[in-house]
Amino acid sequence: VKRACMLMCGLVMAAGMLAGCGVGSQPHAVVIPSDAVPSGLLEPAESPSASSSVEAPTSTIYLVDNDSLIAVHRPRTQTATLRGLLQSLLQGPTDDESSTGLSTAINTSPTLNKVTVDANEMATIDLSASFGDIRGPEQVLATAQLVMTAVSFPGVTSVQISLDGTLASVPLADGTLATEPLRASDYASLLAGSSPSPAA
């Protein structure tokens, strides 16, 4: 009974406070002057879409357009690891990317066998032998796609490519074959918008 009395007293007090504040029923709508409205109520509330307008983190792969490399962003949720990033590259362009003219020179659907990164920030990428079936200018672009994508990943500065466990000899941008670690500078001339290399 005592608790019920306390509850009733609380309700009566609350009703009295509301009445004192002038809150009551109105027979019709009342226009309140803007200078009588607290400024905080005049400012538009931030919509959920506005608060989520910041783009989600992305990673970068490199596709091909007119014999040049184009940086393409993929969701970080799919590319949080170097292996995931390379798998995303090997899957080729999406339908939307293809519709804009993007393609890939990695056209033999190689399997990504293994990826390791050593203390010197060199990634060793082991692919199935079908990667070696790419020939001519496509081989240069395919290698460039692989290297530029890998070095875009944090903690990777160079790349070695092996095929089914055997170190591969792959072309640089000028077609020269190399087995030493590959860097972004080896393929920078293939990036879209880059200046052509001066003639020797």
Side-chain angles (χ1 to χ4, degrees), residues 130-142:
S130 64
F131 183 81
D133 294 336
I134 305 170
R135 293 287 184 265
E138 295 290 295
Q139 186 183 33
V140 175
L141 288 169

Side-chain angles (χ1 to χ4, degrees), residues 44-125:
E46 183 178 357
S47 65
S49 59
S51 62
S52 60
S53 62
V54 178
E55 294 184 3
T58 59
S59 300
T60 303
I61 68 168
Y62 284 83
L63 296 176
V64 176
D65 182 26
N66 292 326
D67 297 328
S68 295
L69 297 185
I70 303 292
V72 176
H73 300 296
R74 294 282 172 85
R76 186 69 60 83
T77 53
Q78 303 172 14
T79 58
T81 65
L82 178 56
R83 184 179 185 89
L85 182 65
L86 294 173
Q87 289 283 22
S88 182
L89 170 67
L90 295 179
Q91 289 169 4
T94 63
D95 290 341
D96 287 342
E97 291 162 353
S98 294
S99 69
T100 65
L102 296 178
S103 62
T104 180
I106 307 174
N107 51 23
T108 57
S109 301
T111 299
L112 181 59
N113 295 327
K114 187 177 181 181
V115 182
T116 59
V117 180
D118 65 18
N120 296 318
E121 299 188 334
M122 183 184 76
T124 298
I125 302 171

